[in-house]
């Protein structure tokens, strides 16, 4: 029986071939399942790497394995595998998607990273000054059932609307046949995404934007014929509940990581756990 924060046997078998491929040469490595359980313990408890319990092995080994899986895309491949299973089992809503963002307070130690951090690391490390101090903003897109589809990080002072198109472009939902799914029928968002270019983008790709208008926009604008669907807009609480669930992971509700890539890997792990909570069928 799996302990707290640890993967059950069923969940481990879903991702075992990605996390722990057969080793053909070299010194035998420590158990990958034990290392991954240690990483999940850090994610959920919010503790420092040095405080990792001894049952997961040396903390330096667990941290090095985290960095390896972060850099080689292992976490991203796991999430893609789970998206495929969700779509195959009919558990994912492909019609209605929802976008929103939340601010994450960063500690003083998180702002001490140097200018270098890899080719994909942003120069500002996704940190910025806002009314809440040093913060990172998490932009998220999910379906109507609360499964995360894509996300991106930015400095805390960046506007939500600047990352709306990027969220939709990042969606890549593979299926059994044909091209991966990248569009939906309805996109629900709050007033922070009220923008004519964003509405035109949705219309151009056959999506209907359900976006609340700001008070300054009282008259209907030309070229945007869609009427506001209030019942559909009320479903937006799904993404709010998803944020509340994600922030129960103490490594997410406060940012301790200096690099945006490390914090992004933690968010990916939380999304993996959220997708694993689905009631998958037994088919392969």
């Amino acid at each position: 029986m799996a302990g707290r924060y640890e993967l059950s046997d069923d969940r481990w078998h879903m991702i075992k071939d990605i996390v722990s491929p057969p080793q053909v040469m070299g010194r035998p490595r420590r158990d990958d399942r034990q290392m991954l359980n240690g990483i999940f313990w850090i994610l959920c408890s919010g503790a420092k790497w040095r405080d990792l319990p001894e049952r997961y092995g040396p903390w330096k080994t667990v941290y090095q394995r985290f960095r390896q899986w972060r850099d080689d895309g292992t976490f991203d491949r796991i999430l893609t595998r789970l998206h495929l299973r969700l779509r195959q089992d009919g558990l994912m809503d492909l019609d209605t998607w929802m976008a929103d963002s939340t601010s994450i307070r960063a500690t003083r130690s998180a702002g001490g990273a140097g200018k270098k951090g890899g080719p994909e690391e942003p120069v500002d490390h996704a940190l910025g000054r806002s009314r809440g101090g040093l913060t990172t903003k998490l932009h998220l897109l999910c379906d109507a059932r609360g499964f995360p589809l894509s996300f991106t990080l930015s400095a805390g002072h960046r506007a939500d609307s600047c990352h709306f198109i990027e969220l939709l472009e990042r969606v890549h939902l593979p299926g059994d046949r044909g091209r991966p799914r990248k569009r939906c029928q309805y996109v629900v968002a709050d007033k922070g995404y009220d923008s004519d270019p964003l509405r035109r983008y949705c219309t151009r790709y056959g999506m209907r934007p359900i976006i609340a208008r700001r008070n300054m926009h009282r008259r209907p604008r030309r070229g945007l014929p869609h009427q506001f669907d209030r019942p559909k807009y009320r479903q937006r609480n799904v993404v709010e509940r998803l944020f509340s669930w994600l922030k129960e992971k103490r490594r997410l509700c406060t940012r301790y990581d200096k690099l945006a890539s490390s914090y992004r890997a933690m968010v990916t792990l939380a999304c993996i756990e959220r997708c694993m909570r689905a009631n998958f069928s037994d088919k392969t």
Side-chain angles (χ1 to χ4, degrees):
M1 181 177 180
R4 191 178 186 187
Y5 307 148
E6 296 182 1
L7 294 173
S8 64
D9 293 337
D10 293 337
R11 294 180 180 181
W12 169 247
H13 288 308
M14 283 195 299
I15 62 175
K16 179 179 179 180
D17 59 323
I18 299 177
V19 178
S20 184
Q23 185 178 359
V24 296
M25 60 183 301
R27 184 176 61 182
R29 50 191 278 152
R30 284 187 173 269
D31 183 54
D32 290 303
R33 182 175 181 179
Q34 181 187 26
M35 299 291 102
L36 187 58
N37 285 333
I39 296 172
F40 272 112
W41 188 91
I42 292 292
L43 168 68
C44 298
S45 67
K48 297 181 179 180
W49 288 100
R50 293 177 181 270
D51 297 333
L52 189 72
E54 295 181 357
R55 65 178 180 272
Y56 298 115
W59 73 268
K60 288 186 178 180
T61 305
V62 180
Y63 177 63
Q64 290 297 331
R65 199 68 58 85
F66 167 76
R67 293 183 58 184
Q68 174 188 340
W69 290 335
R70 176 198 69 188
D71 296 337
D72 65 11
T74 297
F75 297 140
D76 294 328
R77 291 195 296 272
I78 294 174
L79 188 57
T80 301
R81 164 77 60 82
L82 295 175
H83 282 163
L84 175 61
R85 290 290 302 271
L86 287 170
R87 187 175 178 184
Q88 287 177 338
D89 292 357
L91 301 175
M92 182 174 290
D93 192 324
L94 301 177
D95 294 331
T96 304
W97 296 348
M98 301 160 187
D100 204 353
S101 70
T102 186
S103 294
I104 308 295
R105 184 67 181 269
T107 61
R108 178 180 56 85
S109 60
K115 295 183 179 179
K116 295 183 180 179
E120 297 183 358
E121 180 71 16
V123 177
D124 59 359
H125 303 293
L127 288 169
R129 294 285 178 180
S130 63
R131 288 183 295 179
L134 191 64
T135 55
T136 293
K137 187 170 284 189
L138 171 61
H139 308 266
L140 181 69
L141 184 74
C142 73
D143 71 342
R145 297 177 180 174
F147 294 114
L149 303 178
S150 68
F151 70 90
T152 184
L153 303 176
S154 73
H157 61 275
R158 294 295 303 275
D160 296 350
S161 58
C162 297
H163 297 268
F164 180 78
I165 295 178
E166 182 181 0
L167 282 176
L168 292 171
E169 293 293 338
R170 283 177 176 267
V171 176
H172 187 87
L173 301 178
D176 294 331
R177 61 181 63 183
R179 296 180 179 179
R181 183 69 176 264
K182 297 180 66 67
R183 309 296 178 193
C184 62
Q185 186 175 358
Y186 301 97
V187 181
V188 185
D190 60 13
K191 296 180 181 180
Y193 299 90
D194 183 19
S195 169
D196 287 351
L198 299 186
R199 294 176 186 274
R200 284 193 289 267
Y201 170 85
C202 294
T203 302
R204 181 165 64 251
Y205 289 101
M207 297 180 290
R208 180 177 175 182
I210 311 297
I211 303 175
R213 296 185 183 275
R214 296 190 179 95
N215 295 332
M216 66 181 70
H217 297 152
R218 297 180 179 177
R219 297 180 179 179
R221 287 163 286 184
R222 298 179 179 178
L224 301 171
H226 297 309
Q227 299 296 323
F228 184 66
D229 190 341
R230 190 168 298 277
K232 179 71 68 174
Y233 182 75
R234 292 195 183 101
Q235 299 179 14
R236 200 182 64 83
N237 67 86
V238 172
V239 67
E240 300 288 354
R241 297 201 306 269
L242 177 58
F243 275 131
S244 298
W245 184 88
L246 291 174
K247 287 188 174 182
E248 291 180 0
K249 313 301 177 185
R250 297 190 175 185
R251 198 78 184 189
L252 296 189
C253 65
T254 302
R255 176 174 169 178
Y256 302 99
D257 301 285
K258 295 180 183 295
L259 298 181
S261 58
S262 295
Y263 187 74
R264 180 186 181 278
M266 287 294 179
V267 178
T268 305
L269 279 169
C271 293
I272 289 172
E273 185 179 355
R274 176 65 184 89
C275 292
M276 281 184 171
R277 288 174 173 262
N279 185 18
F280 290 110
S281 65
D282 296 331
K283 65 182 181 181
T284 57

